[in-house]
Amino acid sequence: MAEIALSGTQSVRKTVIETPYGVVAAQNGLAARAGAEVLAAGGDAVDAAVATSFAIGVVEPWMSGPTAGGAMMLWRAEEGRAYALNHGMKSPAALDPADYPLSGAGKAGDLFPWEQVVDDRNVFGATAVAIPGTVDGLGQVHAKFGKMPWADLLAPAIRHAREGLLVDWYAALIIASSTRALAVDPDAAALFLEDGQWPTISGWTALAEKRLDQSRMAATLEQIARNGARELYDGEVGAAMVADMRAKGSVMSRDDLVAYRAELMEALSFDYRDARLHAVPGLTAGPTFKTTFEALAQSRFGDAPDADTYLAYADALKAAYEKRLSTMGDENESPETPACTTHFSVVDRKGNMVAQTQTLLSIFGSRVVSPSTGLLMNNGLMWFDPVQGRPNSLGPSKRCLMNVCPVIGEKGQTRIAFGASGGRKIVSAVSQMSSFALDFDMGVEDVFHQPRIDSSGGAFIVADDKLPSAVIDALATRHEVHRTRRTVFPYAFACPAGVMRRGELNSGCTEIMSPWGDAISEADIQDTQKP
């Protein structure tokens, strides 16, 4: 690989504090604060998750939002039980695979190396939009476990949408990376661009604020706050969204929205050494996570991760991903794939936990905005293989196969709620971080700063260049290894967020290179409210 001119002396860390109060760790600190405010008001971890989910869809709109899909793991302390929620997207009932003919031009771009479809109809535009699931999933878990009024939980997101997203250097960078695709849809261009170009910031030292106009989204969130989660499916918001998408070429219908239900189910739970792990079963990365740990259980680890440990990680992940490809049909993505999902985790004072991953799929989803609702639409149909006759082939009324992997882990008095964004990189990150915590008794700060590898079905292993040479040499005995740096943009590894509970103390952390990610305690909220 080409040598990159990056500082060899720079050190980046995030501070972690243990507290008896609840903690929210999210890829955007504003969203984490929204959840922490709910905890400070006496809300349950599920209440905080609802507030965080809606808020992060506003302040990080290119990753998720009301049209997203994903999965959630929950831990209910009083029951001593894990629950799994699949709120993944679904293809429209009227979808006809014949409308997605192969172009014969080779592999498609963006996330998956599928055979290219004519005009990239499964990647860009309204023809790539799937039926969203996140809002219904949030409504279901709130109805079962929530304590605070639904409308109160959407208030932070509405407030942020009314203010509009502040375009700082990081937001400008993200928007600039997708300017050409956003310019194709007039409504996406109106929301995110300036005269067809990325929104510039005034200068290195400028203090002037530039914000996106998210007022239309704010009005939509107000309707969902008043009428409940099903407003997106059975109400006026759903009707308007469908009308907008059909006008742009989608075949989704009101019946598709009305029929949609997320699935609250038994977790995929299994023992690992002296620990127990819980993941989401079915069309997620949960089964691949389980396969990885079945292989790791055959290895012997010492007191700290060493060369043999990382070799065991590489071998187990490689085998687990090969099984995924052969049985579930999920192709590995390009190594250059950007992080394009979001994850957050919550723990409250009682020990209830949530690990939630939600996504539009690609960054900026389909790059299409519904003008009536102000919502950026997903491109969930890209999850399907356009070649027919395969396990994950494109078809009508099918649930999408996702790479998401939120997990709950428990060992003695320690519990973790981990997850990550980053597509194919997610399983590698969540598996290693869970092992760091459960095999080596690391606290959450050490877990998040420990160097990782990525081994997820590609031709080579990607290794953090902070790993000792002994580890790199051991990996090279059985795998092709590429060394790289953890950077702010793009992400060579997944972007995790997680919380931990040890006894009565909680802590949380996010990817150390994420400029927006943060863990916020409800104690932080209480401190700012003191006179």
Side-chain angles (χ1 to χ4, degrees):
M1 297 180 69
E3 187 175 359
I4 300 175
L6 294 174
S7 171
T9 58
Q10 183 183 47
S11 178
V12 179
R13 294 192 65 83
K14 287 191 174 179
T15 302
V16 174
I17 297 174
E18 289 191 313
T19 173
Y21 295 98
V23 176
V24 182
Q27 284 183 196
N28 186 290
L30 294 175
R33 181 166 292 275
E37 288 172 351
V38 167
L39 294 179
D44 184 274
V46 166
D47 294 319
V50 173
T52 305
S53 175
F54 278 102
I56 207 164
V58 175
V59 299
E60 194 191 50
W62 39 80
M63 297 296 192
S64 68
T67 74
M72 175 187 289
M73 281 302 307
L74 306 97
W75 177 260
R76 303 306 298 173
E78 287 188 2
E79 298 179 60
R81 177 182 175 185
Y83 290 86
L85 175 72
N86 186 320
H87 52 86
M89 303 176 206
K90 193 174 182 181
S91 60
L95 185 145
D96 184 352
D99 291 335
Y100 298 82
L102 303 180
S103 69
K107 301 294 184 180
D110 215 87
L111 295 179
F112 301 100
W114 304 132
E115 293 298 317
Q116 187 178 46
V117 168
V118 172
D119 298 328
D120 285 322
R121 289 169 54 81
N122 60 331
V123 179
F124 302 111
T127 54
V129 177
I131 310 307
T134 295
V135 173
D136 183 70
L138 294 171
Q140 288 195 35
V141 294
H142 177 260
K144 187 173 180 65
F145 302 114
K147 293 168 56 180
M148 293 180 62
W150 172 261
D152 291 355
L153 304 179
L154 272 70
I158 294 168
R159 182 177 71 249
H160 285 303
R162 285 294 180 201
E163 293 174 351
L165 175 67
L166 177 66
V167 182
D168 62 8
W169 69 268
Y170 188 62
L173 174 65
I174 298 296
I175 295 171
S177 71
S178 296
T179 295
R180 290 182 179 178
L182 292 169
V184 174
D185 179 64
D187 298 304
L191 178 58
F192 292 105
L193 306 181
E194 289 182 355
D195 301 321
Q197 302 296 321
W198 61 282
T200 59
I201 50 180
S202 300
W204 292 106
T205 60
L207 299 178
E209 290 190 354
K210 181 174 293 185
R211 293 181 179 270
L212 300 183
D213 181 0
Q214 295 173 296
S215 57
R216 184 58 253 171
M217 184 182 190
T220 293
L221 293 174
E222 287 177 338
Q223 288 180 267
I224 296 173
R226 285 194 303 270
N227 301 326
R230 292 301 302 179
E231 172 65 23
L232 186 68
Y233 302 87
D234 308 332
E236 293 179 1
V237 168
M241 185 174 69
V242 166
D244 287 346
M245 289 304 98
R246 291 184 72 89
K248 295 187 178 188
S250 173
V251 297
M252 74 159 58
S253 68
R254 285 297 306 282
D255 288 344
D256 289 322
L257 290 177
V258 171
Y260 181 87
R261 293 293 186 279
E263 296 178 326
L264 187 64
M265 62 186 74
E266 292 291 327
L268 175 61
S269 302
F270 59 95
D271 293 325
Y272 170 70
R273 306 191 201 277
D274 55 351
R276 188 159 178 80
L277 288 158
H278 312 275
V280 182
L283 296 176
T284 71
T288 308
F289 177 79
K290 181 175 184 288
T291 301
T292 300
F293 277 88
E294 289 172 345
L296 289 179
Q298 308 306 311
S299 301
R300 298 183 64 181
F301 292 157
D303 295 330
D306 57 16
D308 290 338
T309 306
Y310 282 94
L311 190 57
Y313 290 158
D315 291 344
L317 287 162
K318 192 96 169 180
Y321 228 89
E322 287 174 356
K323 180 178 179 181
R324 180 178 179 87
L325 299 182
S326 64
T327 61
M328 300 179 79
D330 181 20
E331 291 281 350
N332 53 294
E333 303 154 25
S334 164
E336 291 77 31
T337 296
C340 49
T341 300
T342 201
H343 180 87
F344 63 85
S345 294
V346 183
V347 57
D348 65 23
R349 275 175 277 180
K350 294 182 178 179
N352 299 308
M353 305 178 95
V354 172
Q356 161 85 337
T357 311
Q358 56 190 52
T359 182
L360 296 177
L361 185 48
S362 290
I363 192 166
F364 291 96
S366 62
R367 290 77 165 182
V368 166
V369 166
S370 159
S372 301
T373 65
L375 300 181
L376 180 63
M377 304 300 295
N378 68 69
N379 64 335
L381 295 187
M382 193 179 61
W383 256 313
F384 296 106
D385 188 340
V387 176
Q388 294 300 297
R390 296 179 178 175
N392 187 38
S393 293
L394 182 65
S397 300
K398 293 181 67 174
R399 283 196 177 270
C400 305
L401 173 62
M402 304 179 288
N403 286 307
V404 299
C405 192
V407 302
I408 301 288
E410 49 178 323
K411 177 184 175 182
Q413 294 299 304
T414 297
R415 285 188 173 78
I416 58 173
F418 286 172
S421 64
R424 70 175 178 92
K425 307 177 184 74
I426 292 174
V427 175
S428 283
V430 176
S431 296
Q432 289 170 85
M433 295 172 68
S434 298
S435 174
F436 294 156
L438 301 175
D439 282 315
F440 303 104
D441 297 321
M442 289 186 186
V444 76
E445 182 170 2
D446 290 336
V447 166
F448 274 74
H449 290 83
Q450 180 71 23
R452 304 190 305 269
I453 63 170
D454 180 72
S455 174
S456 47
F460 51 83
I461 303 294
V462 178
D464 189 328
D465 67 2
K466 296 292 186 183
L467 285 166
S469 57
V471 172
I472 304 297
D473 292 343
L475 291 169
T477 62
R478 289 207 285 269
H479 306 278
E480 180 183 350
V481 180
H482 291 188
R483 301 179 68 169
T484 192
R485 184 78 57 89
R486 287 165 83 170
T487 58
V488 171
F489 185 87
Y491 288 108
F493 304 92
C495 185
V499 294
M500 176 182 286
R501 183 174 177 86
R502 283 179 156 176
E504 301 297 319
L505 294 178
N506 300 322
S507 56
C509 195
T510 61
E511 166 56 39
I512 62 172
M513 298 306 300
S514 171
W516 279 359
D518 223 344
I520 306 291
S521 166
E522 62 178 295
D524 299 327
I525 306 301
Q526 293 169 346
D527 287 344
T528 61
Q529 293 174 344
K530 291 179 181 178

